Amino acid sequence: MTDSPSGSTLREAELFLEAHPEIEAFDIVLSDANGIGRGKIIRRHELMGLYKNGRHLPISILGLDIVGEDVHETGLIWDQGDGDMRAWPIPGTLKPLHGTTPPRGELLMSMYHLDGAEMTSDPRHALRRQVDAMAAEGLFPAGAFELEFFLLDPDTAQGIRPAAAVLDGRRSDWTEVYSVDHLHGMQPLFSDIYRAAEAMGIRAETVISEYAPGQYELTLDYRTDVMQAADDLVRLKRIVRMQARRHGVVACFMAKPVEKYAGSGMHFHVSLQDKAGRNVFAEAVEGEWTDTIRHAIGGLRQTMGESMLVFAPHANSWRRFVGQSYAPVSPSWGVNNRSVALRIPAGEVKARRIEHRPSGVDASPYLVAATVLAGIRLGLKNRIDPGPETTGNGYEGSDDLPMPRDWREAIERATASEFLKQALGADMHRTFTAIKAAEHGRVARWIADVDYALYLHNV
């Protein structure tokens, strides 16, 4: 038995320390509303105490904006005296970090009140609520995220440009999409990424050269536990950033870092299993879609507009949504079609799933997955018809379910959304929308270089 509300046990820590006498310290990481890892680095001798008693962290750690400033409107700062909550280890997440000197480990954490109740402005708890609600309905979500990112030159004096190959210093300013030879120049870095992922029990799979200079994609193994799928994505981003830094390049997870090229998505593949482990999206006859997958898509379509702030949470996120960009601009659905928002990929019937394509790589996987599952639940409960399938070019034509036009409208729609409040929980919804409103205010006050270029000498 354990007093830990997360289910963590002292035995897990004991076994890890016995197996890894070389590790001297641990990164303890809590994901905030922006998906940023907040926490501390503790010494080896502190680990057992952490597992026994948790670790006090200020409540304000979950009320920070993208640059770590307090957002008072969340109600998590002075309204509560910035008191301490208690973070507890997430079972199964104590792992070694590859390539650290001296050797370190990493541990994911989740926040609780001092009495052990869930601190519901923690994004991971928002996802857990949706997973538990589905389990009560006899459904168990499985899934995986795709990770797209750029590798950039750390010297920005000549602007943002692709990193030179770490193997031989060669640089290419061409798209190089799907070029296998182009990948070879980054092979030492990718080898370290794979080793680091393996050390954490993450099955990172295919790597490709994506649709922009310096852009890459890593796929992840499909998990029968969506919580683990989200943890995988959080950890893989940290791995890529850490290993890129070791090799002298910058890993960039902005949704749209380069004006004239495609941005980086975080596509979420999701399916549902019943209690017997059967995929309820799988049709009896290939191509004759089940009511289950159709209603799931219907729910996702209906709720997409008011949920877009979760999928595109930053000012830069909205630069990704342009025509012919492989980023969807309407809540369309289709089969084997990369111009739509909700895609049924081609493949074996038993692997039938929905590929949810709107999210940028800058979004929180916990909040994305929570919102997607809530949309699916709504569609199944109300038997929502998805409407006609989009065939051909999804960027042509219109849709009767309009998306927000920009970040500000997305914030307004998300703030007013009863669906999103239920999907994330009232506290997480208030925290997230307050942070986004504060960040919008920061950006709106910023006088950008383009203002001077257009207006300094002309008005």
Side-chain angles (χ1 to χ4, degrees), residues 71 98 154 176 229 254 280 376 383 391 397 412:
V71 177
H98 170 73
E176 305 281 7
M254 291 173 63
V280 299
I376 290 173
R383 300 183 64 82
T391 58
E412 292 171 349

Side-chain angles (χ1 to χ4, degrees), residues 280-304:
V280 299
F281 284 169
E283 66 270 24
V285 178
E286 186 169 1
E288 295 183 5
W289 312 119
T290 64
D291 285 344
T292 308
I293 199 169
R294 285 178 51 79
H295 294 151
I297 291 171
L300 292 173
R301 287 195 70 237
Q302 182 170 300
T303 57
M304 189 173 296

Side-chain angles (χ1 to χ4, degrees), residues 14 59 73 75 127 130 142 169 172 183 203 237 239 243 254 258 298 322-323 332 346 351 359 383 431 441:
E14 291 170 350
I59 191 173
E73 293 80 2
L127 176 54
Q130 290 299 329
S172 173
L183 294 174
R203 290 180 59 183
K237 285 179 72 171
I239 286 169
Q243 299 305 326
M254 291 173 63
V258 184
V322 294
S332 52
S359 298
R383 300 183 64 82
T431 298

Side-chain angles (χ1 to χ4, degrees), residues 216-270:
Y216 302 87
E217 178 187 273
L218 275 168
T219 59
L220 285 160
D221 184 36
Y222 209 77
R223 296 287 198 181
T224 56
D225 179 357
V226 163
M227 298 294 299
Q228 192 170 26
D231 289 342
D232 283 351
L233 196 284
V234 165
R235 305 193 93 156
L236 188 59
K237 285 179 72 171
R238 287 178 53 79
I239 286 169
V240 171
R241 182 177 281 118
M242 182 182 300
Q243 299 305 326
R245 183 177 293 174
R246 291 181 64 228
H247 285 272
V249 301
V250 172
C252 174
F253 299 105
M254 291 173 63
K256 182 77 168 180
V258 184
E259 175 187 355
K260 62 181 181 178
Y261 291 107
S264 292
M266 187 181 70
H267 302 162
F268 178 37
H269 295 252
V270 61

